[in-house]
Amino acid sequence: MDLVTKVHREHVEILVTGTIKTIANAQAIKEAIRKTHEQHPDAIINLMIKDSFIITSSVIGFLIKSIKMDKMNLQVNVGCEELYTMLDDMNLVEIMNVRKAYTCAKV
């Protein structure tokens, strides 16, 4: 998994490529979001999960907490239909501000 943060005028993109599967991957995502929010507290944070068809439960919990309790302006864009469907089946699309951005190739 790779992670790149891009700062724009009104928003910040956190681009995640590759599969999110380890504790270290989850920690890196959470730390990138925390750091971005500290440095740009009023910016919209767009978490772009480009390739992963899975997401760890700790990242899901962190995203829900960040949006609902910490009031971060956070949007999640998923590139794999399989991940979007999983989040939809769990009734998390609205809660986590999930949007489709299908670019992921089926393997």
Side-chain angles (χ1 to χ4, degrees):
M1 184 203 83
D2 289 313
L3 196 133
V4 176
T5 302
K6 297 179 183 176
V7 180
H8 300 279
R9 188 175 296 195
E10 295 178 10
H11 71 280
V12 179
E13 280 182 7
I14 300 172
L15 177 63
V16 178
T17 55
T19 304
I20 303 165
K21 56 186 171 185
T22 67
I23 294 170
N25 294 157
Q27 285 302 111
I29 292 168
K30 293 189 283 188
E31 187 57 35
I33 293 170
R34 253 189 240 120
K35 185 176 176 182
T36 299
H37 183 65
E38 286 173 8
Q39 293 174 348
H40 309 278
D42 297 324
I44 296 168
I45 300 172
N46 287 319
L47 178 62
M48 316 286 284
I49 303 172
K50 185 177 178 186
D51 306 312
S52 193
F53 61 93
I54 57 173
I55 187 172
T56 65
S57 59
S58 68
V59 171
I60 291 172
F62 176 81
L63 293 173
I64 293 170
K65 177 190 171 293
S66 297
I67 293 166
K68 295 299 179 187
M69 296 178 70
D70 300 337
K71 304 297 183 195
M72 282 187 199
N73 194 351
L74 181 63
Q75 298 173 345
V76 180
N77 297 279
V78 297
C80 275
E81 186 173 2
E82 189 175 348
L83 178 56
Y84 183 88
T85 300
M86 181 192 76
L87 294 171
D88 190 36
D89 289 347
M90 296 170 69
N91 295 313
L92 294 174
V93 168
E94 188 175 324
I95 292 167
M96 290 175 36
N97 299 324
V98 178
R99 295 180 182 171
K100 299 176 188 179
Y102 297 151
T103 57
C104 181
K106 293 275 184 188
V107 178

